[in-house]
Amino acid sequence: MTDTNIYSSDRRQCAKFLYRGSFGPKKGQIDQLQKNGFDAWFDEQLSIPPTYHLPKLKALFNSTSYTHAQDDMRQGIWWQCTVTGEDQLRQRMAYALSQLFVVSSNGVGSVNDGLANYYDMLVTHAFGNFRDLFKAVTISPMMGRYLTLSGSKKHDPENNTFPDENFPRECIQLFTIGLWQLNEYGEPILDHNGNKIPTYDQNDVENMSRLLCGWYINYPHWQHDWINPMLADNSQHDMGEKNVMGTHFPAGQDIHQDLDGVVDMLFNHSNTPAFVAIHLIKRFVTSNPNRNYIKRIADIFVDNGNGIRGDLQATIKAVLTDPDVFAGLANAAGQGTQGEHQHFGLLKEPVIVVANQLRALNMQAAGDHWWDTQWAEVTYGQAALSAETVFNFYKPTDAPQGEIADLGLTAPEFTIITADIMRKTHNRMFYNLLKWNKTDYKEWHWDRTDFHDLSMGTTEYVALINERFFGGLMSKSLQNYMYKTLASHSAPYQLKIRYLNAIYIATTAPEFFCEG
């Protein structure tokens, strides 16, 4: 693993690191990282107790007269944990995992206590072992409802019914190994005709459905239990012999034995290390990783250095500290050294951009609890556990038409950055700046003291904005643009609002939406 000590004195590397490994730096955190070093940061982040969502949601719900938790309550709690949580790496990891093991309100409905509990499961396992996480996901009542594993029963010849194939198919295709056999670099393996080799076929899916039938969501007192794992019913489990992707499952195994067998099969599949590595690299660092970067992360997934496979703590640490990250190197796409540097980084998701803004402002709730004043799903085209389909907000291979697609590169986030979403996002980001004086109990507010110094000169304003919102990474061209704009807003009646306009101009600039 990279010796991070050699980068600790580089303030720009510290700033970039915090934009990748958290939801954005707050005041003073870059200086603290530079002083203490990356290893100390990891030690701290890995030891901070998890910030859980469900207890906060329950506290908010109990303060109201509603009969059940509302969507804006759950999303408000997500923003609270994102903006104020000290366990930033864990929260960022949980969000990345929520885009791998997709469960969505657009499928289960407004079961907000269950959704918050599902998210907390991701929080719990964020630094654990991938096998444990995958097993917990499989028997989660939210997943059972979303991908209809709950109630799946063994084949009934009399009624011509069969086990449900929904979750068995998606857990192979989307959660663990993908469609095609991969080499250790995450590249598809080709047969002698140059064609990609599928990882599974319909027969495998049918046998997987036989392995996983018999689970159901508990229903005590005529109420679904959305919190505890699904229950097992061996009377509805297929006890026959099964064969899936070359793995033999002998007859006579009960539902728990077959579940463990499925989890072990996919956990130990040769595709899984690279599949997980690619997902995490794309969510944290760059949309177009170098093949050797993928292999190095996959190798850590295979063996964390102590002979343990699937250690997510070691894996995410490797993702954030790989040599390619500090050097800013990506897939060159045939364009040599220039391409390696030009293709590094990613377009931030709207909620990540806004989270960066909110943390820079040190946004707080005006009342005792956080409510979703962003209306994130409508405004940004995304919100926590609200993807339109099981394929997430976008697919990892998505690319906008033009140069990116022509070079065989990807930029998945462009899928949701439509002109309308960009307009709404810009508007909401300005509205966030206006929250400095909000007092309504559902609102948020921030302290404008540092920015509301009317005697501050243009150079000082730009320097403050550069430091607070860009971590000192603002380009010279944007700084020059800011100088010219602020110089033209110096009339007495403009002084009281120019700091808001200046922040708005800076944070809606294209480079604020990018991570390099």
Side-chain angles (χ1 to χ4, degrees):
M1 193 171 291
T2 308
D3 179 5
T4 58
N5 290 326
I6 64 176
Y7 299 103
S8 295
S9 61
D10 187 335
R11 198 172 191 281
R12 291 180 63 85
Q13 289 284 11
C14 291
K16 292 178 180 180
F17 180 88
L18 286 180
Y19 281 109
R20 298 183 190 113
S22 73
F23 284 98
K26 286 190 172 185
K27 181 180 180 180
Q29 289 185 338
I30 298 173
D31 292 331
Q32 184 178 9
L33 175 61
Q34 187 177 19
K35 176 183 177 182
N36 297 334
F38 294 96
D39 289 338
W41 184 88
F42 276 113
D43 290 342
E44 179 185 46
Q45 285 294 307
L46 296 173
S47 64
I48 294 174
T51 303
Y52 288 119
H53 296 225
L54 183 58
K56 297 180 184 300
L57 177 63
K58 287 182 175 180
L60 171 53
F61 169 70
N62 289 335
S63 72
T64 72
S65 59
Y66 289 103
T67 57
H68 61 276
Q70 306 294 301
D71 291 347
D72 59 344
M73 294 180 185
R74 179 175 65 84
Q75 296 297 346
I77 298 304
W78 184 86
W79 285 109
Q80 178 184 8
C81 296
T82 295
V83 176
T84 69
E86 295 296 325
D87 57 334
Q88 279 291 293
L89 180 59
R90 184 184 289 273
Q91 295 297 323
R92 185 75 189 265
M93 185 69 164
Y95 182 61
L97 293 172
S98 77
Q99 296 190 62
L100 177 63
F101 297 110
V102 174
V103 158
S104 176
S105 56
N106 291 306
V108 302
S110 298
V111 189
N112 287 294
D113 53 345
L115 289 168
N117 183 70
Y118 182 85
Y119 204 93
D120 282 346
M121 178 186 65
L122 303 179
V123 170
T124 296
H125 290 281
F127 298 151
N129 192 281
F130 186 85
R131 185 196 183 280
D132 298 333
L133 170 59
F134 177 49
K135 183 176 180 179
V137 165
T138 301
I139 57 175
S140 159
M142 283 289 91
M143 183 61 76
R145 173 164 175 151
Y146 184 60
L147 290 184
T148 58
L149 183 61
S150 175
S152 177
K153 301 176 181 179
K154 65 183 179 181
H155 174 46
D156 181 353
E158 186 173 321
N159 294 306
N160 197 31
T161 60
F162 298 85
D164 192 285
E165 298 177 7
N166 200 7
F167 178 81
R169 177 178 288 103
E170 304 305 0
C171 79
I172 302 174
Q173 177 185 351
L174 300 178
F175 299 165
T176 55
I177 67 175
L179 290 170
W180 313 109
Q181 291 186 27
L182 305 175
N183 63 20
E184 57 192 348
Y185 298 95
E187 302 163 332
I189 299 173
L190 306 181
D191 63 18
H192 63 280
N193 292 319
N195 298 316
K196 297 177 183 178
I197 304 172
T199 53
Y200 66 93
D201 58 24
Q202 178 57 26
N203 187 60
D204 293 319
V205 172
E206 291 174 5
N207 277 281
M208 275 279 286
S209 70
R210 294 173 57 209
L211 285 163
L212 292 172
C213 61
W215 293 97
Y216 68 97
I217 299 170
N218 194 18
Y219 194 61
H221 310 299
W222 308 104
Q223 295 287 330
H224 285 101
D225 180 358
W226 301 119
I227 305 301
N228 295 299
M230 291 191 290
L231 300 181
D233 180 1
N234 270 308
S235 71
Q236 291 300 329
H237 182 66
D238 189 326
M239 300 286 191
E241 178 185 42
K242 304 104 173 171
N243 289 283
V244 179
M245 297 185 294
T247 299
H248 176 69
F249 296 82
Q253 292 196 152
D254 67 19
I255 191 170
H256 293 285
Q257 291 172 311
D258 276 348
L259 171 64
D260 282 331
V262 168
V263 171
D264 286 336
M265 175 185 66
L266 293 174
F267 175 63
N268 291 303
H269 194 281
S270 59
N271 270 27
T272 306
F275 187 87
V276 174
I278 291 171
H279 177 79
L280 293 178
I281 292 170
K282 283 177 174 279
R283 297 280 54 80
F284 282 88
V285 179
T286 180
S287 297
N288 297 285
N290 183 297
R291 65 196 297 268
N292 292 314
Y293 181 13
I294 294 171
K295 182 181 183 302
R296 288 190 293 269
I297 305 308
D299 287 345
I300 292 294
F301 184 95
V302 171
D303 184 346
N304 67 352
N306 295 305
I308 297 175
R309 183 184 180 93
D311 181 350
L312 291 175
Q313 177 176 312
T315 303
I316 189 56
K317 187 172 183 179
V319 166
L320 293 171
T321 59
D322 188 83
D324 279 11
V325 179
F326 293 111
L329 300 179
N331 179 0
Q335 295 187 325
T337 302
Q338 181 180 3
E340 283 185 319
H341 291 286
Q342 285 184 340
H343 304 154
F344 183 78
L346 51 81
L347 178 71
K348 298 177 189 176
E349 304 167 56
V351 294
I352 300 292
V353 173
V354 176
N356 289 172
Q357 181 203 41
L358 297 175
R359 283 180 58 80
L361 294 171
N362 194 28
M363 192 70 75
Q364 301 293 325
D368 294 330
H369 304 281
W370 285 67
W371 298 73
D372 181 19
T373 66
Q374 304 294 293
W375 299 107
E377 187 174 357
V378 174
T379 305
Y380 307 130
Q382 61 174 168
L385 301 184
S386 298
E388 290 188 358
T389 73
V390 71
F391 292 94
N392 190 25
F393 305 110
Y394 37 71
K395 299 175 184 176
T397 55
D398 282 354
Q401 293 181 352
E403 184 178 5
I404 294 176
D406 292 344
L407 288 172
L409 300 173
T410 69
E413 294 82 0
F414 274 98
T415 301
I416 55 174
I417 306 291
T418 64
D420 184 52
I421 292 298
M422 186 62 78
R423 174 186 64 82
K424 291 177 179 177
T425 300
H426 284 192
N427 288 345
R428 183 60 58 173
M429 290 176 76
F430 188 72
Y431 179 66
N432 288 340
L433 298 177
L434 298 178
K435 289 179 180 290
W436 64 269
N437 62 348
K438 297 294 183 179
T439 57
D440 182 88
Y441 77 100
K442 285 190 175 183
E443 267 292 357
W444 304 351
H445 69 92
W446 61 283
D447 184 352
R448 64 174 181 167
T449 302
D450 288 351
F451 296 91
H452 196 57
D453 182 352
L454 303 186
S455 65
M456 193 180 297
T458 296
T459 302
E460 295 169 292
Y461 254 128
V462 174
L464 177 59
I465 292 172
N466 183 15
E467 170 60 27
R468 196 66 60 82
F469 293 91
F470 291 80
L473 301 172
M474 186 190 292
S475 68
K476 290 296 182 183
S477 59
L478 180 55
Q479 290 183 55
N480 290 334
Y481 180 82
M482 295 288 292
Y483 293 144
K484 293 178 181 178
T485 302
L486 285 170
S488 66
H489 289 73
S490 57
Y493 72 92
Q494 295 173 324
L495 292 178
K496 292 184 178 180
I497 63 169
R498 74 169 184 159
Y499 75 97
L500 295 177
N501 292 334
I503 296 173
Y504 173 74
I505 290 169
T507 55
T508 54
E511 63 190 70
F512 192 71
F513 282 70
C514 296
E515 180 181 293

